[in-house]
Amino acid sequence: MEETLWKFARKNRDLRELRQDIAGIWQDDAARDINSRYLNPHESDAEEVLEALQKQYTYITEAAKFRSLAREEERSAADFTDKMTRSLHATEKEMALVFSSHEETLRLHGKAQDLIPKIDQLIQSANSSCQGALDRDEYNRSYS
C-alpha cells in the first residue's frame, strides 16, 4: 500500500507540474473554464484523498502492530493458563496426600491417647517396684 500511495502522490505532482508548465502558454477563456470546472477541483480532491489514504495507511499499520501485540499477549496468557492448570492439578494431588496424612495422624493420635492410661499404670507399677526394692535395700542395710 505504501508503494501505491507513493505512485498516487507522484502522479498528482506530475499533473501539477504539467499544469504549471503550460499555465504561461494556455491562458485563454477555455483554459480558465477547464481549470476552474475540472482541474482545480480534481487537484484539491486528489490532495484530500491522498491525505485520507495516508491516514488510513497509518491507522492500518498501527492496528497491525496492536494485533501483533494482542497475539503475543494471548500466547502469554495461554502459557500462564497452562502453568496455572498444571499447578492446580499438582496442588490437588498434594491436598489429597495432606488429607490422607492428616487422617492417619488423627488415627495415631487417638491410639496414643488410648495408651496413656496404660502407660501411667505401667509407670506407677514400675515406680512401686522400684520403691519396694529401695525399701528392701534400706531394710537390709538397717538390719544387717
PDB file of all heavy atoms in Angstrom, residues 74-107:
ATOM      1  N   GLU A  74      -1.966 -12.932  23.994  1.00  0.00           N
ATOM      2  CA  GLU A  74      -2.823 -14.117  24.014  1.00  0.00           C
ATOM      3  C   GLU A  74      -1.976 -15.370  24.256  1.00  0.00           C
ATOM      4  O   GLU A  74      -2.338 -16.225  25.068  1.00  0.00           O
ATOM      5  CB  GLU A  74      -3.570 -14.241  22.687  1.00  0.00           C
ATOM      6  CG  GLU A  74      -4.429 -15.488  22.585  1.00  0.00           C
ATOM      7  CD  GLU A  74      -5.004 -15.711  21.196  1.00  0.00           C
ATOM      8  OE1 GLU A  74      -4.465 -15.171  20.213  1.00  0.00           O
ATOM      9  OE2 GLU A  74      -5.991 -16.447  21.110  1.00  0.00           O
ATOM     10  N   ARG A  75      -0.835 -15.460  23.556  1.00  0.00           N
ATOM     11  CA  ARG A  75       0.067 -16.613  23.761  1.00  0.00           C
ATOM     12  C   ARG A  75       0.591 -16.629  25.190  1.00  0.00           C
ATOM     13  O   ARG A  75       0.648 -17.681  25.827  1.00  0.00           O
ATOM     14  CB  ARG A  75       1.225 -16.566  22.760  1.00  0.00           C
ATOM     15  CG  ARG A  75       0.872 -17.062  21.379  1.00  0.00           C
ATOM     16  CD  ARG A  75       2.105 -17.226  20.505  1.00  0.00           C
ATOM     17  NE  ARG A  75       2.737 -15.975  20.173  1.00  0.00           N
ATOM     18  CZ  ARG A  75       2.417 -15.200  19.137  1.00  0.00           C
ATOM     19  NH1 ARG A  75       1.452 -15.567  18.329  1.00  0.00           N
ATOM     20  NH2 ARG A  75       3.043 -14.076  18.903  1.00  0.00           N
ATOM     21  N   SER A  76       0.948 -15.473  25.689  1.00  0.00           N
ATOM     22  CA  SER A  76       1.444 -15.378  27.060  1.00  0.00           C
ATOM     23  C   SER A  76       0.368 -15.808  28.054  1.00  0.00           C
ATOM     24  O   SER A  76       0.646 -16.550  29.005  1.00  0.00           O
ATOM     25  CB  SER A  76       1.895 -13.942  27.344  1.00  0.00           C
ATOM     26  OG  SER A  76       2.320 -13.804  28.658  1.00  0.00           O
ATOM     27  N   ALA A  77      -0.861 -15.356  27.831  1.00  0.00           N
ATOM     28  CA  ALA A  77      -1.965 -15.733  28.715  1.00  0.00           C
ATOM     29  C   ALA A  77      -2.238 -17.232  28.631  1.00  0.00           C
ATOM     30  O   ALA A  77      -2.508 -17.882  29.656  1.00  0.00           O
ATOM     31  CB  ALA A  77      -3.226 -14.945  28.344  1.00  0.00           C
ATOM     32  N   ALA A  78      -2.153 -17.797  27.435  1.00  0.00           N
ATOM     33  CA  ALA A  78      -2.374 -19.242  27.280  1.00  0.00           C
ATOM     34  C   ALA A  78      -1.289 -20.027  28.007  1.00  0.00           C
ATOM     35  O   ALA A  78      -1.578 -21.032  28.683  1.00  0.00           O
ATOM     36  CB  ALA A  78      -2.408 -19.607  25.800  1.00  0.00           C
ATOM     37  N   ASP A  79      -0.032 -19.575  27.876  1.00  0.00           N
ATOM     38  CA  ASP A  79       1.064 -20.237  28.600  1.00  0.00           C
ATOM     39  C   ASP A  79       0.840 -20.157  30.104  1.00  0.00           C
ATOM     40  O   ASP A  79       1.022 -21.137  30.828  1.00  0.00           O
ATOM     41  CB  ASP A  79       2.416 -19.596  28.254  1.00  0.00           C
ATOM     42  CG  ASP A  79       2.868 -19.887  26.837  1.00  0.00           C
ATOM     43  OD1 ASP A  79       2.292 -20.812  26.212  1.00  0.00           O
ATOM     44  OD2 ASP A  79       3.786 -19.195  26.357  1.00  0.00           O
ATOM     45  N   PHE A  80       0.441 -18.978  30.579  1.00  0.00           N
ATOM     46  CA  PHE A  80       0.193 -18.797  32.001  1.00  0.00           C
ATOM     47  C   PHE A  80      -0.943 -19.698  32.468  1.00  0.00           C
ATOM     48  O   PHE A  80      -0.874 -20.307  33.530  1.00  0.00           O
ATOM     49  CB  PHE A  80      -0.124 -17.325  32.295  1.00  0.00           C
ATOM     50  CG  PHE A  80      -0.341 -17.038  33.743  1.00  0.00           C
ATOM     51  CD1 PHE A  80       0.727 -17.014  34.623  1.00  0.00           C
ATOM     52  CD2 PHE A  80      -1.618 -16.801  34.234  1.00  0.00           C
ATOM     53  CE1 PHE A  80       0.533 -16.759  35.967  1.00  0.00           C
ATOM     54  CE2 PHE A  80      -1.822 -16.540  35.570  1.00  0.00           C
ATOM     55  CZ  PHE A  80      -0.748 -16.519  36.442  1.00  0.00           C
ATOM     56  N   THR A  81      -1.990 -19.792  31.650  1.00  0.00           N
ATOM     57  CA  THR A  81      -3.127 -20.652  31.977  1.00  0.00           C
ATOM     58  C   THR A  81      -2.679 -22.107  32.090  1.00  0.00           C
ATOM     59  O   THR A  81      -3.084 -22.821  33.014  1.00  0.00           O
ATOM     60  CB  THR A  81      -4.230 -20.510  30.911  1.00  0.00           C
ATOM     61  OG1 THR A  81      -4.652 -19.148  30.877  1.00  0.00           O
ATOM     62  CG2 THR A  81      -5.408 -21.408  31.201  1.00  0.00           C
ATOM     63  N   ASP A  82      -1.841 -22.546  31.147  1.00  0.00           N
ATOM     64  CA  ASP A  82      -1.331 -23.927  31.196  1.00  0.00           C
ATOM     65  C   ASP A  82      -0.538 -24.162  32.474  1.00  0.00           C
ATOM     66  O   ASP A  82      -0.710 -25.193  33.141  1.00  0.00           O
ATOM     67  CB  ASP A  82      -0.446 -24.221  29.976  1.00  0.00           C
ATOM     68  CG  ASP A  82      -1.242 -24.323  28.688  1.00  0.00           C
ATOM     69  OD1 ASP A  82      -2.478 -24.481  28.755  1.00  0.00           O
ATOM     70  OD2 ASP A  82      -0.619 -24.231  27.606  1.00  0.00           O
ATOM     71  N   LYS A  83       0.317 -23.209  32.813  1.00  0.00           N
ATOM     72  CA  LYS A  83       1.118 -23.353  34.042  1.00  0.00           C
ATOM     73  C   LYS A  83       0.221 -23.402  35.272  1.00  0.00           C
ATOM     74  O   LYS A  83       0.431 -24.212  36.184  1.00  0.00           O
ATOM     75  CB  LYS A  83       2.105 -22.188  34.165  1.00  0.00           C
ATOM     76  CG  LYS A  83       3.253 -22.255  33.199  1.00  0.00           C
ATOM     77  CD  LYS A  83       4.165 -21.045  33.339  1.00  0.00           C
ATOM     78  CE  LYS A  83       5.239 -21.048  32.264  1.00  0.00           C
ATOM     79  NZ  LYS A  83       6.041 -19.833  32.301  1.00  0.00           N
ATOM     80  N   MET A  84      -0.762 -22.535  35.304  1.00  0.00           N
ATOM     81  CA  MET A  84      -1.668 -22.498  36.451  1.00  0.00           C
ATOM     82  C   MET A  84      -2.488 -23.792  36.540  1.00  0.00           C
ATOM     83  O   MET A  84      -2.726 -24.303  37.632  1.00  0.00           O
ATOM     84  CB  MET A  84      -2.604 -21.287  36.370  1.00  0.00           C
ATOM     85  CG  MET A  84      -1.888 -19.962  36.548  1.00  0.00           C
ATOM     86  SD  MET A  84      -0.865 -19.859  38.028  1.00  0.00           S
ATOM     87  CE  MET A  84      -2.063 -20.042  39.299  1.00  0.00           C
ATOM     88  N   THR A  85      -2.889 -24.326  35.402  1.00  0.00           N
ATOM     89  CA  THR A  85      -3.658 -25.577  35.393  1.00  0.00           C
ATOM     90  C   THR A  85      -2.802 -26.714  35.921  1.00  0.00           C
ATOM     91  O   THR A  85      -3.261 -27.521  36.744  1.00  0.00           O
ATOM     92  CB  THR A  85      -4.156 -25.881  33.961  1.00  0.00           C
ATOM     93  OG1 THR A  85      -4.974 -24.800  33.517  1.00  0.00           O
ATOM     94  CG2 THR A  85      -4.948 -27.174  33.910  1.00  0.00           C
ATOM     95  N   ARG A  86      -1.543 -26.773  35.469  1.00  0.00           N
ATOM     96  CA  ARG A  86      -0.636 -27.813  35.968  1.00  0.00           C
ATOM     97  C   ARG A  86      -0.405 -27.640  37.466  1.00  0.00           C
ATOM     98  O   ARG A  86      -0.399 -28.620  38.223  1.00  0.00           O
ATOM     99  CB  ARG A  86       0.690 -27.774  35.206  1.00  0.00           C
ATOM    100  CG  ARG A  86       0.589 -28.336  33.807  1.00  0.00           C
ATOM    101  CD  ARG A  86       1.956 -28.574  33.177  1.00  0.00           C
ATOM    102  NE  ARG A  86       2.785 -27.382  33.085  1.00  0.00           N
ATOM    103  CZ  ARG A  86       2.784 -26.538  32.069  1.00  0.00           C
ATOM    104  NH1 ARG A  86       1.998 -26.739  31.040  1.00  0.00           N
ATOM    105  NH2 ARG A  86       3.577 -25.484  32.067  1.00  0.00           N
ATOM    106  N   SER A  87      -0.236 -26.411  37.910  1.00  0.00           N
ATOM    107  CA  SER A  87      -0.051 -26.154  39.343  1.00  0.00           C
ATOM    108  C   SER A  87      -1.289 -26.555  40.135  1.00  0.00           C
ATOM    109  O   SER A  87      -1.171 -27.125  41.230  1.00  0.00           O
ATOM    110  CB  SER A  87       0.243 -24.666  39.590  1.00  0.00           C
ATOM    111  OG  SER A  87       1.484 -24.308  39.047  1.00  0.00           O
ATOM    112  N   LEU A  88      -2.452 -26.275  39.590  1.00  0.00           N
ATOM    113  CA  LEU A  88      -3.695 -26.639  40.264  1.00  0.00           C
ATOM    114  C   LEU A  88      -3.802 -28.157  40.404  1.00  0.00           C
ATOM    115  O   LEU A  88      -4.142 -28.660  41.482  1.00  0.00           O
ATOM    116  CB  LEU A  88      -4.900 -26.099  39.496  1.00  0.00           C
ATOM    117  CG  LEU A  88      -6.271 -26.443  40.060  1.00  0.00           C
ATOM    118  CD1 LEU A  88      -6.439 -25.863  41.458  1.00  0.00           C
ATOM    119  CD2 LEU A  88      -7.360 -25.932  39.140  1.00  0.00           C
ATOM    120  N   HIS A  89      -3.473 -28.887  39.341  1.00  0.00           N
ATOM    121  CA  HIS A  89      -3.528 -30.354  39.411  1.00  0.00           C
ATOM    122  C   HIS A  89      -2.523 -30.891  40.440  1.00  0.00           C
ATOM    123  O   HIS A  89      -2.849 -31.803  41.217  1.00  0.00           O
ATOM    124  CB  HIS A  89      -3.282 -30.978  38.042  1.00  0.00           C
ATOM    125  CG  HIS A  89      -4.393 -30.760  37.063  1.00  0.00           C
ATOM    126  ND1 HIS A  89      -5.696 -31.102  37.323  1.00  0.00           N
ATOM    127  CD2 HIS A  89      -4.402 -30.217  35.826  1.00  0.00           C
ATOM    128  CE1 HIS A  89      -6.452 -30.787  36.293  1.00  0.00           C
ATOM    129  NE2 HIS A  89      -5.698 -30.240  35.366  1.00  0.00           N
ATOM    130  N   ALA A  90      -1.319 -30.311  40.438  1.00  0.00           N
ATOM    131  CA  ALA A  90      -0.312 -30.738  41.421  1.00  0.00           C
ATOM    132  C   ALA A  90      -0.789 -30.437  42.839  1.00  0.00           C
ATOM    133  O   ALA A  90      -0.612 -31.259  43.750  1.00  0.00           O
ATOM    134  CB  ALA A  90       1.024 -30.036  41.134  1.00  0.00           C
ATOM    135  N   THR A  91      -1.401 -29.281  43.024  1.00  0.00           N
ATOM    136  CA  THR A  91      -1.915 -28.902  44.344  1.00  0.00           C
ATOM    137  C   THR A  91      -3.028 -29.847  44.773  1.00  0.00           C
ATOM    138  O   THR A  91      -3.085 -30.240  45.948  1.00  0.00           O
ATOM    139  CB  THR A  91      -2.421 -27.448  44.314  1.00  0.00           C
ATOM    140  OG1 THR A  91      -1.348 -26.595  43.932  1.00  0.00           O
ATOM    141  CG2 THR A  91      -2.949 -27.025  45.663  1.00  0.00           C
ATOM    142  N   GLU A  92      -3.900 -30.210  43.837  1.00  0.00           N
ATOM    143  CA  GLU A  92      -4.976 -31.142  44.174  1.00  0.00           C
ATOM    144  C   GLU A  92      -4.409 -32.484  44.637  1.00  0.00           C
ATOM    145  O   GLU A  92      -4.895 -33.071  45.607  1.00  0.00           O
ATOM    146  CB  GLU A  92      -5.899 -31.339  42.963  1.00  0.00           C
ATOM    147  CG  GLU A  92      -6.784 -30.143  42.691  1.00  0.00           C
ATOM    148  CD  GLU A  92      -7.556 -30.255  41.381  1.00  0.00           C
ATOM    149  OE1 GLU A  92      -7.192 -31.089  40.527  1.00  0.00           O
ATOM    150  OE2 GLU A  92      -8.524 -29.494  41.215  1.00  0.00           O
ATOM    151  N   LYS A  93      -3.366 -32.961  43.956  1.00  0.00           N
ATOM    152  CA  LYS A  93      -2.724 -34.218  44.363  1.00  0.00           C
ATOM    153  C   LYS A  93      -2.094 -34.075  45.746  1.00  0.00           C
ATOM    154  O   LYS A  93      -2.211 -34.963  46.592  1.00  0.00           O
ATOM    155  CB  LYS A  93      -1.662 -34.627  43.343  1.00  0.00           C
ATOM    156  CG  LYS A  93      -2.231 -35.129  42.047  1.00  0.00           C
ATOM    157  CD  LYS A  93      -1.127 -35.483  41.063  1.00  0.00           C
ATOM    158  CE  LYS A  93      -1.702 -35.914  39.738  1.00  0.00           C
ATOM    159  NZ  LYS A  93      -0.659 -36.192  38.744  1.00  0.00           N
ATOM    160  N   GLU A  94      -1.423 -32.958  45.973  1.00  0.00           N
ATOM    161  CA  GLU A  94      -0.787 -32.713  47.269  1.00  0.00           C
ATOM    162  C   GLU A  94      -1.840 -32.620  48.377  1.00  0.00           C
ATOM    163  O   GLU A  94      -1.633 -33.129  49.475  1.00  0.00           O
ATOM    164  CB  GLU A  94       0.042 -31.424  47.236  1.00  0.00           C
ATOM    165  CG  GLU A  94       1.312 -31.525  46.437  1.00  0.00           C
ATOM    166  CD  GLU A  94       2.345 -32.424  47.079  1.00  0.00           C
ATOM    167  OE1 GLU A  94       2.455 -32.442  48.321  1.00  0.00           O
ATOM    168  OE2 GLU A  94       3.042 -33.129  46.327  1.00  0.00           O
ATOM    169  N   MET A  95      -2.952 -31.980  48.075  1.00  0.00           N
ATOM    170  CA  MET A  95      -4.012 -31.843  49.082  1.00  0.00           C
ATOM    171  C   MET A  95      -4.579 -33.215  49.455  1.00  0.00           C
ATOM    172  O   MET A  95      -4.860 -33.469  50.625  1.00  0.00           O
ATOM    173  CB  MET A  95      -5.134 -30.929  48.576  1.00  0.00           C
ATOM    174  CG  MET A  95      -4.741 -29.458  48.506  1.00  0.00           C
ATOM    175  SD  MET A  95      -4.227 -28.783  50.098  1.00  0.00           S
ATOM    176  CE  MET A  95      -5.755 -28.851  51.000  1.00  0.00           C
ATOM    177  N   ALA A  96      -4.723 -34.090  48.461  1.00  0.00           N
ATOM    178  CA  ALA A  96      -5.213 -35.441  48.762  1.00  0.00           C
ATOM    179  C   ALA A  96      -4.234 -36.146  49.700  1.00  0.00           C
ATOM    180  O   ALA A  96      -4.646 -36.800  50.671  1.00  0.00           O
ATOM    181  CB  ALA A  96      -5.393 -36.232  47.472  1.00  0.00           C
ATOM    182  N   LEU A  97      -2.938 -35.973  49.437  1.00  0.00           N
ATOM    183  CA  LEU A  97      -1.920 -36.577  50.302  1.00  0.00           C
ATOM    184  C   LEU A  97      -1.953 -35.947  51.691  1.00  0.00           C
ATOM    185  O   LEU A  97      -1.858 -36.656  52.705  1.00  0.00           O
ATOM    186  CB  LEU A  97      -0.525 -36.409  49.676  1.00  0.00           C
ATOM    187  CG  LEU A  97       0.645 -36.993  50.425  1.00  0.00           C
ATOM    188  CD1 LEU A  97       0.488 -38.504  50.580  1.00  0.00           C
ATOM    189  CD2 LEU A  97       1.939 -36.671  49.699  1.00  0.00           C
ATOM    190  N   VAL A  98      -2.136 -34.647  51.765  1.00  0.00           N
ATOM    191  CA  VAL A  98      -2.197 -33.955  53.055  1.00  0.00           C
ATOM    192  C   VAL A  98      -3.405 -34.443  53.860  1.00  0.00           C
ATOM    193  O   VAL A  98      -3.285 -34.725  55.060  1.00  0.00           O
ATOM    194  CB  VAL A  98      -2.260 -32.416  52.840  1.00  0.00           C
ATOM    195  CG1 VAL A  98      -2.684 -31.700  54.108  1.00  0.00           C
ATOM    196  CG2 VAL A  98      -0.915 -31.900  52.355  1.00  0.00           C
ATOM    197  N   PHE A  99      -4.560 -34.546  53.199  1.00  0.00           N
ATOM    198  CA  PHE A  99      -5.745 -35.035  53.916  1.00  0.00           C
ATOM    199  C   PHE A  99      -5.554 -36.463  54.404  1.00  0.00           C
ATOM    200  O   PHE A  99      -5.930 -36.809  55.527  1.00  0.00           O
ATOM    201  CB  PHE A  99      -6.999 -34.932  53.041  1.00  0.00           C
ATOM    202  CG  PHE A  99      -7.537 -33.538  52.933  1.00  0.00           C
ATOM    203  CD1 PHE A  99      -7.764 -32.967  51.687  1.00  0.00           C
ATOM    204  CD2 PHE A  99      -7.825 -32.787  54.062  1.00  0.00           C
ATOM    205  CE1 PHE A  99      -8.260 -31.679  51.581  1.00  0.00           C
ATOM    206  CE2 PHE A  99      -8.328 -31.504  53.969  1.00  0.00           C
ATOM    207  CZ  PHE A  99      -8.543 -30.940  52.718  1.00  0.00           C
ATOM    208  N   SER A 100      -4.939 -37.282  53.562  1.00  0.00           N
ATOM    209  CA  SER A 100      -4.675 -38.667  53.956  1.00  0.00           C
ATOM    210  C   SER A 100      -3.732 -38.701  55.158  1.00  0.00           C
ATOM    211  O   SER A 100      -3.950 -39.447  56.123  1.00  0.00           O
ATOM    212  CB  SER A 100      -4.075 -39.427  52.776  1.00  0.00           C
ATOM    213  OG  SER A 100      -3.669 -40.703  53.155  1.00  0.00           O
ATOM    214  N   SER A 101      -2.674 -37.886  55.102  1.00  0.00           N
ATOM    215  CA  SER A 101      -1.722 -37.822  56.219  1.00  0.00           C
ATOM    216  C   SER A 101      -2.403 -37.294  57.472  1.00  0.00           C
ATOM    217  O   SER A 101      -2.133 -37.770  58.585  1.00  0.00           O
ATOM    218  CB  SER A 101      -0.542 -36.922  55.855  1.00  0.00           C
ATOM    219  OG  SER A 101       0.181 -37.479  54.778  1.00  0.00           O
ATOM    220  N   HIS A 102      -3.278 -36.324  57.330  1.00  0.00           N
ATOM    221  CA  HIS A 102      -3.994 -35.766  58.467  1.00  0.00           C
ATOM    222  C   HIS A 102      -4.878 -36.840  59.117  1.00  0.00           C
ATOM    223  O   HIS A 102      -4.923 -36.963  60.355  1.00  0.00           O
ATOM    224  CB  HIS A 102      -4.826 -34.560  58.021  1.00  0.00           C
ATOM    225  CG  HIS A 102      -5.554 -33.901  59.149  1.00  0.00           C
ATOM    226  ND1 HIS A 102      -6.886 -34.115  59.383  1.00  0.00           N
ATOM    227  CD2 HIS A 102      -5.127 -33.052  60.122  1.00  0.00           C
ATOM    228  CE1 HIS A 102      -7.253 -33.416  60.446  1.00  0.00           C
ATOM    229  NE2 HIS A 102      -6.209 -32.754  60.912  1.00  0.00           N
ATOM    230  N   GLU A 103      -5.578 -37.606  58.290  1.00  0.00           N
ATOM    231  CA  GLU A 103      -6.423 -38.677  58.830  1.00  0.00           C
ATOM    232  C   GLU A 103      -5.594 -39.721  59.574  1.00  0.00           C
ATOM    233  O   GLU A 103      -5.974 -40.193  60.650  1.00  0.00           O
ATOM    234  CB  GLU A 103      -7.220 -39.332  57.698  1.00  0.00           C
ATOM    235  CG  GLU A 103      -8.336 -38.446  57.170  1.00  0.00           C
ATOM    236  CD  GLU A 103      -9.009 -39.031  55.935  1.00  0.00           C
ATOM    237  OE1 GLU A 103      -8.702 -40.179  55.554  1.00  0.00           O
ATOM    238  OE2 GLU A 103      -9.844 -38.324  55.347  1.00  0.00           O
ATOM    239  N   GLU A 104      -4.432 -40.053  59.005  1.00  0.00           N
ATOM    240  CA  GLU A 104      -3.542 -41.028  59.655  1.00  0.00           C
ATOM    241  C   GLU A 104      -3.023 -40.456  60.977  1.00  0.00           C
ATOM    242  O   GLU A 104      -2.935 -41.163  61.980  1.00  0.00           O
ATOM    243  CB  GLU A 104      -2.374 -41.385  58.726  1.00  0.00           C
ATOM    244  CG  GLU A 104      -1.398 -42.394  59.284  1.00  0.00           C
ATOM    245  CD  GLU A 104      -2.002 -43.798  59.472  1.00  0.00           C
ATOM    246  OE1 GLU A 104      -3.123 -44.064  58.996  1.00  0.00           O
ATOM    247  OE2 GLU A 104      -1.335 -44.614  60.112  1.00  0.00           O
ATOM    248  N   THR A 105      -2.717 -39.171  60.980  1.00  0.00           N
ATOM    249  CA  THR A 105      -2.250 -38.524  62.213  1.00  0.00           C
ATOM    250  C   THR A 105      -3.330 -38.571  63.284  1.00  0.00           C
ATOM    251  O   THR A 105      -3.045 -38.867  64.460  1.00  0.00           O
ATOM    252  CB  THR A 105      -1.857 -37.057  61.920  1.00  0.00           C
ATOM    253  OG1 THR A 105      -0.839 -37.041  60.937  1.00  0.00           O
ATOM    254  CG2 THR A 105      -1.374 -36.339  63.157  1.00  0.00           C
ATOM    255  N   LEU A 106      -4.559 -38.256  62.889  1.00  0.00           N
ATOM    256  CA  LEU A 106      -5.669 -38.310  63.853  1.00  0.00           C
ATOM    257  C   LEU A 106      -5.859 -39.728  64.390  1.00  0.00           C
ATOM    258  O   LEU A 106      -6.096 -39.915  65.586  1.00  0.00           O
ATOM    259  CB  LEU A 106      -6.964 -37.817  63.202  1.00  0.00           C
ATOM    260  CG  LEU A 106      -7.032 -36.321  62.877  1.00  0.00           C
ATOM    261  CD1 LEU A 106      -8.342 -36.003  62.150  1.00  0.00           C
ATOM    262  CD2 LEU A 106      -6.889 -35.473  64.127  1.00  0.00           C
ATOM    263  N   ARG A 107      -5.742 -40.728  63.508  1.00  0.00           N
ATOM    264  CA  ARG A 107      -5.890 -42.120  63.939  1.00  0.00           C
ATOM    265  C   ARG A 107      -4.795 -42.490  64.936  1.00  0.00           C
ATOM    266  O   ARG A 107      -5.072 -43.062  66.006  1.00  0.00           O
ATOM    267  CB  ARG A 107      -5.823 -43.051  62.724  1.00  0.00           C
ATOM    268  CG  ARG A 107      -6.145 -44.512  63.030  1.00  0.00           C
ATOM    269  CD  ARG A 107      -5.978 -45.386  61.809  1.00  0.00           C
ATOM    270  NE  ARG A 107      -4.617 -45.480  61.329  1.00  0.00           N
ATOM    271  CZ  ARG A 107      -3.654 -46.232  61.898  1.00  0.00           C
ATOM    272  NH1 ARG A 107      -3.921 -46.942  62.970  1.00  0.00           N
ATOM    273  NH2 ARG A 107      -2.447 -46.264  61.385  1.00  0.00           N
TER     274      ARG A 107
END
